[in-house]
Amino acid sequence: MDIRLLSDVAGVILVGGRSRRMGRDKALIPLGGKPLVERVIDAFRPLFERTLLVGDRGERFASYGLPVFPDIHPGSALGGLYTGLVRAGTPHVFVSACDVPWPDPRVIARLCSLREGFDVVVPRTVGGSEPLFAVYGTGCLPAMERMLREGNYRIYDFYPEVRTRYVEQAELADLVTPARTFVNVNTPEEFETIRNKEEGMAIKAVSFVAKSGTGKTTLLEKVIAELKGRGYRIGVIKHDAHRFDIDHPGKDSHRLTAAGADTMLIASPEKLALVKKYDEAPSLDDLLATYFGDVDIVLTEGFKKSGLPKIEVHRMERSATLLCRGEEHDPTLVAVASDAALALDVPVFDLNNPAQLADFVERTFLAAGAA
C-alpha cells in the first residue's frame, strides 16, 4: 500500500489514563527498547503531518517535541477523544490509546482511506468494535458534547447518531495479525504476555492450570517423567497462595531460620535447599531468571493470572466449564488436557495420555526453532 502524509487527518494519542490496573504509567513502559507511547508515535510519523498527545502531566513527553493538550473534560477516553478532535484543527483525526504495542501504519492508512463521507471509521472484530483505534470527524462533536454533559462515556453509544463506517475483519484480513494488531495493555499479566511475544522468553516456561480437584499435579508429574526420560532438564515452580513451611522444628536449619536468618541454604553432595524470606513476593520473571538458568524448560503449577503460555487440565466430572474459556477468554491458553471431547480453538489432548501432552510440549517449546 502506498502510504502518504495526510494533512487533513491528525494523529491523536490518548495519554491521560491513570494506569490503575497496571500500577505504573503505561505510556512509558519499555517494550523492545522503546516506551509504548513512542511505538505509537513512530507509527504515526509517516502518516500524519500533525500528531498531538492528549492528557495531563505533559512534561512526561517533552523529549518528543509534540504538543500535549490537557483534557477539556477529564476522566474518560471519550473526553480525551473530544479534546483531540477540538484541538487538532483538521476535519478528521485518527485516535489511538498510548498502550498499543503493535500499531500497524498500514492498517491505520487503510482506515483513513475510507473516511470520505463518514464521521466514524471503526474496525470491528470478533471481540467487537475498536473505538480507540479509529477515525473520527468533527461531525461527531455535537453528539460527544451531549454525552459528556449526560455523563455517558461509552464512545460507541453515539455511533448510531452519526455516519459510521464499520470496517469488518475480512476487509483487513490482508493486513491484520490476529491477537496482535488491536491488542492493548491493561495489566502486568497482559504486558508479560506481550513482552514474551515481542522479545521472546529467555527461559522457556509453560504453566499448568486447573480448578482444584482436577488432578493437575498427577498429570504434571507424569509429563515431567516423560520429558525427563527424553533427556530434558526440567524445572518446576509450584504456586502456593498460602503460607508454607518446608523446614521442620528441631532441625538445625529450622533453628537457624527461626533465629532470624533471612536466607538459609542447606547443601549436600547431591542437592541443596534454599529458604529465603522476603517482604514482597518476587515476580515470576524474577524467579525464572534467578533460579532456572540451568534447565531446558520450567513447568509451573498454578499461576493462573500470569502471562505464561498455559495448558489447562480439565475433568468433566469436576466442572463442565474451563478457566481459560469460560467467563474470560485467556489468550495465553495453548492447549487443554481433558477427559472429554471438547470443541475449542486450541488443541485438546487426552487427560490420560501424558505422553501425548509431552509430545506437544516438546514440539511447541523445546524443538529447534520453537518459540
Side-chain angles (χ1 to χ4, degrees), residues 102-121:
W102 298 298
D104 191 329
R106 300 171 305 157
V107 175
I108 299 170
R110 175 76 59 83
L111 294 172
C112 289
S113 73
L114 301 172
R115 69 190 181 280
E116 193 66 36
F118 294 100
D119 301 303
V120 177
V121 180

Side-chain angles (χ1 to χ4, degrees), residues 180-370:
R180 187 178 177 97
T181 301
F182 300 116
V183 168
N184 67 332
V185 184
N186 290 303
T187 67
E189 292 78 22
E190 289 174 357
F191 180 71
E192 183 182 345
T193 299
I194 288 165
R195 185 186 58 76
N196 287 339
K197 288 181 179 180
E198 174 77 10
E199 302 172 358
M201 294 174 61
I203 298 172
K204 297 180 186 298
V206 60
S207 190
F208 282 65
V209 301
K211 295 182 178 180
S212 61
T214 304
K216 68 177 179 295
T217 301
T218 300
L219 177 62
L220 184 56
E221 64 180 334
K222 292 177 180 178
V223 172
I224 291 169
E226 280 284 342
L227 293 172
K228 190 66 179 175
R230 302 177 191 189
Y232 293 108
R233 298 166 299 168
I234 310 298
V236 177
I237 304 177
K238 162 75 176 177
H239 183 257
D240 192 329
H242 311 286
R243 293 188 60 183
F244 70 92
D245 197 344
I246 61 172
D247 217 346
H248 302 288
K251 295 291 185 180
D252 291 348
S253 54
H254 186 275
R255 291 170 59 192
L256 296 171
T257 301
D262 294 299
T263 301
M264 197 287 301
L265 187 147
I266 181 169
S268 75
E270 295 181 345
K271 57 186 177 182
L272 63 81
L274 177 69
V275 178
K276 188 174 184 66
K277 297 178 181 178
Y278 45 75
D279 297 322
E280 184 178 342
S283 70
L284 191 51
D285 275 352
D286 288 341
L287 292 175
L288 291 170
T290 303
Y291 300 109
F292 294 95
D294 60 346
V295 300
D296 296 307
I297 191 169
V298 178
L299 306 179
T300 81
E301 182 177 345
F303 296 98
K304 299 172 188 176
K305 295 183 179 180
S306 81
L308 290 180
K310 295 182 183 70
I311 296 173
E312 181 166 350
V313 183
H314 170 258
R315 193 179 296 276
M316 185 63 72
E317 182 182 25
R318 168 62 180 84
S319 175
T321 60
L322 299 171
L323 284 172
C324 301
R325 287 296 184 271
E327 294 182 3
E328 296 186 8
H329 183 96
D330 189 337
T332 65
L333 184 71
V334 295
V336 171
S338 177
D339 61 352
L342 304 176
L344 297 173
D345 58 338
V346 296
V348 179
F349 299 101
D350 184 353
L351 178 62
N352 299 307
N353 190 341
Q356 188 183 56
L357 194 55
D359 288 342
F360 173 79
V361 171
E362 183 176 33
R363 182 173 63 252
T364 306
F365 300 101
L366 293 167

Side-chain angles (χ1 to χ4, degrees), residues 85-135:
L85 202 47
V86 168
R87 301 300 190 198
T90 53
H92 288 87
V93 301
F94 183 90
V95 67
S96 174
C98 64
D99 59 354
V100 178
W102 298 298
D104 191 329
R106 300 171 305 157
V107 175
I108 299 170
R110 175 76 59 83
L111 294 172
C112 289
S113 73
L114 301 172
R115 69 190 181 280
E116 193 66 36
F118 294 100
D119 301 303
V120 177
V121 180
V122 60
R124 185 159 57 184
T125 68
V126 291
S129 299
E130 300 291 341
L132 294 185
F133 203 78
V135 179

